[in-house]
Amino acid sequence: MAAEKKKTSGKKTAEKKPAKKVTAVKAPAKKGKKKLTAENVTILVPRGGQVIQYFNLTPAFPTDTGRGDWIFTEDGSTQDIETLTVGFADNPSPLERELERAVLVITMVQNPTANGTWRFALGGVATDHGDEDPNNDVIVEIIDNGFTLVAYVQVLEDSAEYIPFGFVASFTDNDTGVVSIYESQDPGIIPIRPAG
């Protein structure tokens, strides 16, 4: 994923990483146990058009067994999303390809009992490998003082990729002012444009 990056001193930084090309797209099994049933969500981008979809992210502190139970849901839903597929039309004209994209708007949900504030940090996302998205199908931007992340998904070439990533957020403790950085263990985005 491409993301706007700021220089930090001695802190973890998000970096662009390569995508794995896959023929049969299948998300790996999620580690850890979720409180809610995880689901796969598909967004279809209309030929020559755009779609805007809204999501909520509720972060969680790490536990003894993992990164914590972060909940990523569609706005108005309680179903946790494991994998998000963004599908594009086959055989579009070159102009239609340039115009087609999905805009994913993700809002950080605050927990009033956490005694602090969560914000997207360090580019907002991190991947496990060197370059998960070589085609730059997904571009990420943090807005609204860190409370909102916008991901632009645009596939110009015929491809199917699985881009695993974790959200990256900071937590500022209200009492001490200490800022800590945390990363979720999921989800994944699958941008797909079938070969025509």
Side-chain angles (χ1 to χ4, degrees):
M1 293 187 169
E4 294 285 333
K5 297 170 192 70
K6 294 183 181 177
K7 295 197 182 218
T8 59
S9 56
K11 296 198 177 199
K12 180 180 175 185
T13 58
E15 59 183 34
K16 187 178 167 206
K17 307 192 179 194
K20 301 174 202 168
K21 292 286 185 178
V22 293
T23 51
V25 179
K26 182 179 178 187
K30 185 182 276 192
K31 297 174 187 170
K33 192 174 182 181
K34 285 288 187 184
K35 293 176 190 170
L36 302 172
T37 304
E39 70 176 347
N40 298 321
V41 171
T42 301
I43 297 171
L44 299 177
V45 177
R47 179 183 299 277
Q50 299 183 11
V51 62
I52 300 174
Q53 191 79 26
Y54 294 88
F55 300 90
N56 294 314
L57 177 67
T58 306
F61 292 110
T63 65
D64 292 337
T65 60
R67 296 181 181 175
D69 192 15
W70 295 52
I71 307 296
F72 178 53
T73 61
E74 287 185 278
D75 195 30
S77 172
T78 59
Q79 291 295 308
D80 189 26
I81 298 170
E82 182 174 358
T83 303
L84 182 62
T85 302
V86 181
F88 292 84
D90 57 345
N91 296 320
S93 71
L95 178 59
E96 288 173 328
R97 281 181 193 257
E98 291 290 329
L99 296 174
E100 294 170 353
R101 72 177 175 171
V103 180
L104 314 177
V105 182
I106 304 162
T107 301
M108 184 71 72
V109 176
Q110 302 297 322
N111 181 347
T113 63
N115 195 36
T117 304
W118 289 95
R119 286 185 168 87
F120 289 102
L122 303 176
V125 294
T127 56
D128 294 335
H129 305 289
D131 191 359
E132 290 290 351
D133 186 15
N135 295 332
N136 289 323
D137 293 331
V138 181
I139 297 174
V140 177
E141 176 183 12
I142 297 174
I143 61 171
D144 189 28
N145 294 315
F147 295 114
T148 304
L149 181 141
V150 181
Y152 304 95
V153 183
Q154 185 174 28
V155 179
L156 299 177
E157 303 296 326
D158 295 342
S159 66
E161 299 174 311
Y162 176 70
I163 305 172
F165 69 94
F167 290 109
V168 179
S170 66
F171 179 79
T172 306
D173 188 283
N174 284 343
D175 296 331
T176 65
V178 172
V179 178
S180 302
I181 303 294
Y182 298 99
E183 180 181 339
S184 71
Q185 66 182 9
D186 58 305
I189 290 183
I190 303 174
I192 297 175
R193 184 183 295 278

